[in-house]
């Protein structure tokens, strides 16, 4: 969402201080824009700021918005190698220190620590307002026609209403500010997407969405039905296998249940405690989960690993912006606002969007996965990025590493993250990457220390209203900056 006026430095609001919000803030500042990041939690990190609490009164996450933002479970690990997923000039190199995880596929805390380092290295502290919840984003009323500062009828501005989140749960009066542009970076992995199954509303036993799953211990000795065979469904089913009495894993279709894909078959062969089932037909009041093939099981808990839906309850664009498509293109946003890059004609962009949607539809990709890269050819995505940005091409050894990770995960999902089968080209590239990218990383952190008085980098000094209640506060430190 941006103004149409002539290129100049803009006043921009970024909603959310997770990975995309921090990247957007850094790129916007690089282009000279004045940036304010509003983050409702007491620290940066977004989903990667682990919160052991859940929406206890609404474990299904049926109400919008959910009270607990993070959906990350305690054991979560990356699915992609760290060497291929960092920022282009601040790459995700392993680092020593308390709470750090040097593995190629690290756990969720390492990603949080990396984002804290990024936040500190680029001096974003004075741009981020923590404990600040955005209530509404809407087009600001146009100024009077005779106002000398008016840039014309196309000079759209945005009114942002926010409120400080107080430790005692109270909320002071909301404040309103006007911005030239707003970047919505609050993510789309918080509001659960729930299936419509007969009996869900009256089933007497425990139901929750994976958004509310943290650890397996609460399900010890239970019969658990896990609905969904996506990444979170497979992770949770595998983890529950060690404590639950039975784990019934529900496939996407009857066909998948009868003849599961090779990767799923291999996983099931390794875990006798997991039984694959066809889709759920209904939940009955006696506690039975009935499947479409006529079979059933008396279950203690049903966990819905059915994904998330787009939810931006604060966004009021009067129909000017559609909410069913993904975003996250921070560098393009910054360049367009500065006038250094121009968007194609609207008609051309809409034709491209419709063509992409048709391609995905023909491939059987549901509309709510409009943001999913695996739904299209990866090389096509890479080529598009190289063609339209100044990002460097991915080195051959990184691409080899990325593809090898996918292949290994298909062969053995449980162990692929810890396989050490690098080729000579990968080993050579990795050695150089650690030396060069590691030096860049340390130089950025050192520059942040020398160029600031410390106010920008003392992240942990900010009081977190939620932190006092967190059972597992983050233990990582941001290099020597704290």
């Amino acid at each position: 969402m941006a103004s149409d006026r002539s290129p100049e430095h803009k006043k921009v609001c970024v909603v959310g201080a997770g990975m995309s919000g921090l990247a957007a803030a850094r790129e916007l500042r690089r282009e000279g824009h004045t940036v304010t990041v509003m983050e409702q939690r007491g620290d940066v990190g977004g989903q990667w700021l682990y919160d052991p609490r859940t929406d206890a009164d609404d474990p299904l996450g049926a109400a919008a918005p959910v009270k607990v933002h993070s959906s990350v479970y305690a054991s979560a690990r990356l699915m992609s190698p760290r060497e291929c997923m960092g920022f282009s000039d601040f790459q995700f190199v392993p680092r020593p220190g308390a709470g750090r995880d040097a593995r190629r596929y690290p756990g969720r805390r390492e990603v949080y620590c990396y984002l804290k380092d990024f936040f500190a290295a680029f001096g974003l502290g004075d741009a981020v307002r923590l404990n600040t919840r955005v209530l509404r984003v809407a087009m600001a009323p146009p100024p009077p026609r005779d106002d000398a500062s008016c840039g014309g009828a196309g000079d759209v501005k945005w009114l942002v209403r926010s409120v400080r989140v107080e430790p005692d749960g109270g909320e002071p009066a909301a404040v309103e500010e006007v911005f030239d542009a707003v970047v919505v970076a609050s993510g789309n992995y918080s509001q659960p997407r729930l299936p419509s199954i007969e009996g869900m509303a009256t089933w007497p036993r425990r139901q929750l969405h994976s958004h509310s799953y943290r650890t397996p211990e609460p399900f010890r000795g239970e019969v658990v039905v896990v609905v969904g065979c996506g990444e979170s469904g497979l992770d949770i089913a595998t983890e529950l296998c060690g404590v639950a009495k039975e784990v019934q894993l529900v496939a996407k279709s009857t066909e998948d249940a009868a003849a599961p894909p090779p990767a799923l078959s291999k996983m099931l062969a390794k875990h006798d405690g997991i039984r694959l089932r066809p889709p759920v037909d209904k939940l009955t009041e006696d506690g039975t989960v009935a499947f479409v093939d006529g079979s059933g099981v008396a279950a203690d808990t049903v966990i819905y690993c059915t994904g998330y839906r787009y939810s931006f309850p604060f966004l009021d664009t009067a129909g000017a912006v559609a909410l069913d498509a993904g975003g996250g293109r921070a560098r393009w946003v910054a360049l367009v606002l500065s006038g250094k890059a121009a968007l194609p004609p609207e008609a051309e962009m809409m034709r491209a969007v419709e063509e992409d949607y048709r391609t995905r539809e023909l491939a059987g990709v549901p509309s709510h996965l409009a943001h999913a890269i695996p739904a299209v050819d990866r090389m096509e995505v890479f080529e598009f990025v190289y063609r339209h940005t100044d990002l460097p091409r991915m080195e051959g050894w990184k691409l080899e590493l990325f593809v090898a990770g996918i292949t290994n995960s298909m062969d053995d999902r449980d162990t692929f993250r810890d396989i050490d089968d690098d080729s000579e080209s990968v080993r050579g590239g990795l050695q150089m990457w650690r030396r060069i990218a590691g030096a860049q990383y340390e130089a950025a952190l050192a520059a942040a220390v020398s160029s600031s008085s410390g106010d920008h980098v003392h992240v942990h000094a900010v009081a977190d209203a939620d932190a006092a209640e967190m059972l597992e506060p983050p233990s990582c430190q941001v290099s020597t900056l704290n």
Side-chain angles (χ1 to χ4, degrees):
M1 296 178 290
S3 166
D4 292 331
R5 68 190 187 185
S6 59
E8 61 182 51
H9 293 162
K10 303 290 197 300
K11 181 181 178 184
V12 186
C13 175
V14 177
V15 183
M19 184 174 288
S20 59
L22 294 177
R26 190 274 174 100
E27 292 298 330
L28 287 162
R29 273 193 157 185
R30 176 184 284 180
E31 290 301 315
H33 303 298
T34 301
V35 182
T36 300
V37 183
M38 298 186 183
E39 168 57 51
Q40 65 180 337
R41 301 182 68 189
D43 200 354
V44 301
Q47 282 289 338
W48 300 103
L49 177 57
Y50 176 73
D51 191 340
R53 299 170 305 154
T54 62
D55 288 87
D57 297 333
D58 183 22
L60 284 173
V66 292
K67 294 179 181 178
V68 176
H69 181 75
S70 179
S71 300
V72 171
Y73 36 93
S75 63
R77 287 181 68 181
L78 293 180
M79 292 292 294
S80 299
R82 67 190 305 151
E83 294 88 346
C84 302
M85 65 166 290
F87 299 114
S88 59
D89 58 352
F90 192 78
Q91 299 194 41
F92 197 3
V93 293
R95 302 190 71 249
R100 304 306 294 243
D101 181 351
R103 293 177 296 179
R104 172 167 291 165
Y105 297 87
R108 41 94 186 165
R109 184 178 302 223
E110 173 70 359
V111 184
Y112 163 76
C113 291
Y114 170 63
L115 293 177
K116 294 273 281 189
D117 276 355
F118 180 85
F119 174 77
F122 297 105
L124 298 176
D126 61 344
V128 178
R129 295 182 194 169
L130 300 176
N131 299 309
T132 302
R133 180 177 296 122
V134 174
L135 302 178
R136 185 170 183 257
V137 174
M139 291 183 188
R145 285 281 183 164
D146 58 354
D147 189 335
S149 65
C150 178
D155 188 19
V156 177
K157 289 182 179 288
W158 297 90
L159 189 67
V160 177
R161 181 186 301 157
S162 65
V163 67
R164 171 80 180 176
V165 180
E166 297 294 342
D168 60 3
E171 289 189 352
V175 297
E176 291 187 340
E177 299 166 86
V178 176
F179 293 88
D180 295 302
V182 177
V183 176
V184 178
S186 53
N188 63 297
Y189 292 104
S190 290
Q191 195 65 48
R193 174 181 293 276
L194 294 170
S196 179
I197 298 175
E198 180 184 346
M200 281 181 67
T202 57
W203 201 61
R205 299 184 182 174
R206 179 165 55 179
Q207 300 179 78
L208 66 148
H209 189 271
S210 56
H211 167 73
S212 297
Y213 176 88
R214 295 295 182 268
T215 63
E217 191 57 35
F219 308 93
R220 181 171 292 278
E222 292 189 353
V223 175
V224 183
V225 175
V226 177
V227 180
C229 286
E231 298 300 340
S232 61
L234 297 180
D235 276 352
I236 291 171
T238 303
E239 189 167 60
L240 288 174
C241 195
V243 300
K245 180 181 178 181
E246 297 176 21
V247 177
Q248 310 284 332
L249 180 62
V250 177
K252 181 179 181 180
S253 66
T254 303
E255 292 75 17
D256 283 349
L264 181 56
S265 293
K266 291 178 180 179
M267 191 201 85
L268 293 171
K270 294 184 60 178
H271 298 281
D272 295 337
I274 302 177
R275 181 177 178 184
L276 190 63
R277 293 282 199 164
V280 176
D281 179 38
K282 61 182 177 180
L283 307 181
T284 64
E285 294 188 5
D286 66 356
T288 299
V289 177
F291 304 102
V292 294
D293 64 351
S295 64
V297 62
D300 299 293
T301 299
V302 176
I303 303 178
Y304 299 101
C305 301
T306 48
Y308 297 85
R309 61 184 179 88
Y310 296 103
S311 178
F312 308 108
F314 55 84
L315 194 57
D316 179 8
T317 68
V321 178
L323 301 182
D324 60 348
R329 299 164 178 86
R331 188 170 301 194
W332 289 337
V333 170
L335 293 174
V336 168
L337 289 178
S338 299
K340 295 181 179 179
L343 295 175
E346 182 176 347
E348 182 180 334
M349 291 191 290
M350 292 308 300
R351 282 196 300 270
V353 169
E354 293 302 324
E355 181 180 345
D356 180 66
Y357 284 177
R358 283 195 299 272
T359 301
R360 290 168 181 266
E361 183 179 356
L362 290 173
V365 180
S367 60
H368 69 271
L369 293 180
H371 63 284
I373 292 177
V376 296
D377 182 79
R378 289 184 176 87
M379 294 310 300
E380 181 181 335
V381 173
F382 291 155
E383 289 302 322
F384 180 87
V385 171
Y386 300 147
R387 190 164 59 249
H388 294 283
T389 74
D390 59 352
L391 288 172
R393 286 183 171 269
M394 182 180 286
E395 300 96 316
W397 69 270
K398 281 189 180 181
L399 185 57
E400 181 184 340
L401 183 62
F402 182 74
V403 173
I406 296 174
T407 302
N408 289 338
S409 69
M410 298 293 289
D411 186 61
D412 191 336
R413 193 177 185 280
D414 288 347
T415 64
F416 83 94
R417 295 178 180 91
D418 300 310
I419 293 175
D420 184 8
D421 60 352
D422 293 345
S423 67
E424 286 301 317
S425 63
V426 169
R427 291 184 188 278
L430 184 61
Q431 183 178 13
M432 182 175 296
W433 175 79
R434 284 178 175 164
R435 178 170 55 83
I436 297 176
Q440 292 174 337
Y441 197 119
E442 299 301 332
L445 288 171
V449 172
S450 62
S451 65
S452 85
S453 61
D455 293 338
H456 295 181
V457 294
H458 285 192
V459 182
H460 291 295
V462 181
D464 182 354
D466 295 335
E469 302 176 40
M470 292 179 68
L471 301 179
E472 188 186 350
S475 67
C476 75
Q477 300 295 312
V478 184
S479 186
T480 59
L481 304 187
N482 281 326

